[in-house]
Amino acid sequence: MRTVTLINGDGIGPEISKAVVDIIKASGLEIDWDVQTAGADVIEKEGTPLPQRVLDSIKRNKVALKAPVTTPIGKGFRSVNVQLRKDLDLYANLRPCKNLPNVKTRFENVDIVVVRENTEDLYAGIERQVDADTAESIKIITRKASDRICRFAFDYAVKNGRKEVCCVTKANIMKLSDGLFLDTYRNVAKDYPQIKQREILVDNLCMQLVQNPSFDVLVLPNLYGDIVSDLCAGLIGGLGVAQGANIGLDYAVFEPVHGSAPDIKGQNKANPTALLLSAIEMLRYIGENTYADKIEKALFRTFEKGICTVDLGGTASTDEFSDAVVANM
Ligand code: NAI
């Protein structure tokens, strides 16, 4: 039996984790969940939102499913997510954005995969106050990090039958930093002649995404990736359905895009779909494709029958939605 770390989070985390664990169990797949608490709820007892035991568990099991955790504001703790990405060198942030059946959105047939570089760019956190009225942030782009994220995007395209990888930069203005990212992309692309190349400036991309979102795989430096992946989440129905994964050479953490939603905590209202889709992608990552397909079909059938949670305009509670997915298996 495969052991997977489960960080069940706080806020709505435990509610949606329970739903997802129940659905996976109902599929017939047995997973030994190594449950690890993290976030705001453990600070008092353990002095940190990300105790070492959580990192040790992921290092042992190589794969984790993570529900959202609250980052306490102004208490000097680093975000659990940022720290996990850094400590485990999870350099690729993968966000597939695909329309779900019967979930009404502005466009049909959106099927975009956003591949965001996760370790550098303005997120390197190198900032200084020059004087009282001036602050400065430094944007770091290296060939090494650009090369591995571009390779990740092309490899993903090959493995998943995708046709095109589009490189997104602002290289006309940031000629050195974004220029280096683009140059690296062009070099990597030479190793993948079967995949179409495309280059676009980030401002033009945003306009096209809201007018005609016909893109395939996008590869972007960290900051553009952050913004564009939220835009793409909006194209398919918003936070309740937006899945994600942080992947490195040795470890992978699958998690929804949304946060711990304290405003609806404990109300049995949260949509478990984003965590479920993240879990389905995790099952594919560990080679459990048959179960992943089975659960995905049951999820789609549930939407086709018009059953959905309040955030998508429905009336189902978290439990009712999860039970419906199980019933549709
Ligand atoms: P949020 O994503 O938690 O909530 C934004 C809005 O979307 C809220 O109205 C919420 O009710 C709704 N929402 C989110 N997920 C939903 C779901 N599954 N079903 C139905 N409605 C849903 O963002 P917010 O409020 O900015 O952050 C709350 C906390 O979460 C913060 O402490 C933040 O740091 C943390 N956070 C954690 C993340 C993670 O663990 N990966 C990611 C983003 C935020």
Side-chain angles (χ1 to χ4, degrees), residues 192-256:
Y192 300 84
Q194 70 275 44
I195 303 292
K196 239 177 98 193
Q197 287 180 53
R198 182 170 172 185
E199 297 169 7
I200 193 165
L201 296 176
V202 65
D203 41 352
N204 184 9
L205 171 78
C206 290
M207 185 193 64
Q208 295 205 29
L209 281 173
V210 296
Q211 285 197 317
N212 172 29
S214 56
F215 288 86
D216 194 339
V217 177
L218 301 173
V219 63
L220 317 86
N222 206 339
L223 180 63
Y224 309 143
D226 185 19
I227 298 165
V228 166
S229 55
D230 271 29
L231 196 166
C232 290
L235 293 174
I236 56 157
L239 285 174
V241 298
Q243 60 169 309
N246 293 294
I247 299 177
L249 289 179
D250 301 315
Y251 315 109
V253 176
F254 293 79
E255 61 175 345

Side-chain angles (χ1 to χ4, degrees), residues 10 12 16 66-73 79-81 85 239-241 255-265 269-275 309-312:
D10 52 37
I12 59 168
I16 56 175
K66 178 181 160 296
V69 295
T70 305
T71 299
I73 297 171
S79 146
V80 168
N81 306 306
R85 287 170 200 172
L239 285 174
V241 298
E255 61 175 345
V257 170
H258 64 73
S260 55
D263 54 333
I264 55 167
K265 172 186 172 176
K269 246 178 156 168
N271 186 353
T273 303
L275 184 65
T309 44
V310 181
D311 56 311
L312 297 178

Side-chain angles (χ1 to χ4, degrees), residues 89-93 115-121 123 140-142 144-150 181 219-223 225-226:
D89 196 20
L90 305 171
Y91 67 88
N93 186 254
V115 178
R116 162 187 170 194
E117 203 288 320
N118 231 357
T119 64
E120 56 180 29
D121 194 351
Y123 281 71
I140 306 280
I141 300 282
T142 65
K144 181 175 171 232
S146 306
D147 185 272
R148 64 181 184 172
I149 197 67
C150 290
F181 191 89
V219 63
L220 317 86
N222 206 339
L223 180 63
D226 185 19

Side-chain angles (χ1 to χ4, degrees), residues 127-320:
E127 288 194 303
R128 75 184 180 108
Q129 195 75 41
V130 178
D131 59 41
D133 301 315
T134 317
E136 155 181 290
S137 297
I138 297 183
K139 174 172 164 119
I140 306 280
I141 300 282
T142 65
R143 192 176 295 280
K144 181 175 171 232
S146 306
D147 185 272
R148 64 181 184 172
I149 197 67
C150 290
R151 273 184 207 287
F152 181 95
F154 277 100
D155 285 338
Y156 182 91
V158 171
K159 261 191 238 144
N160 292 277
R162 296 280 174 161
K163 307 238 158 3
E164 178 184 276
V165 173
C166 176
C167 180
V168 185
T169 63
K170 189 77 185 165
N172 56 332
I173 303 296
M174 274 154 283
K175 293 184 198 302
L176 294 182
S177 52
D178 282 14
L180 177 58
F181 191 89
L182 181 58
D183 183 58
T184 311
Y185 161 85
R186 287 177 181 160
N187 278 327
V188 170
K190 289 183 195 147
D191 294 338
Y192 300 84
Q194 70 275 44
I195 303 292
K196 239 177 98 193
Q197 287 180 53
R198 182 170 172 185
E199 297 169 7
I200 193 165
L201 296 176
V202 65
D203 41 352
N204 184 9
L205 171 78
C206 290
M207 185 193 64
Q208 295 205 29
L209 281 173
V210 296
Q211 285 197 317
N212 172 29
S214 56
F215 288 86
D216 194 339
V217 177
L218 301 173
V219 63
L220 317 86
N222 206 339
L223 180 63
Y224 309 143
D226 185 19
I227 298 165
V228 166
S229 55
D230 271 29
L231 196 166
C232 290
L235 293 174
I236 56 157
L239 285 174
V241 298
Q243 60 169 309
N246 293 294
I247 299 177
L249 289 179
D250 301 315
Y251 315 109
V253 176
F254 293 79
E255 61 175 345
V257 170
H258 64 73
S260 55
D263 54 333
I264 55 167
K265 172 186 172 176
Q267 296 174 30
N268 198 16
K269 246 178 156 168
N271 186 353
T273 303
L275 184 65
L276 183 59
L277 287 169
S278 308
I280 290 169
E281 198 73 24
M282 180 207 80
L283 295 181
R284 296 203 169 108
Y285 180 85
I286 61 173
E288 296 289 359
N289 295 51
T290 312
Y291 290 100
D293 293 349
K294 185 175 174 182
I295 296 168
E296 190 177 66
K297 272 199 198 112
L299 174 69
F300 288 0
R301 220 170 282 146
T302 306
F303 283 127
E304 277 154 12
K305 289 181 176 170
I307 302 166
C308 59
T309 44
V310 181
D311 56 311
L312 297 178
T315 55
S317 67
T318 310
D319 290 346
E320 283 163 353

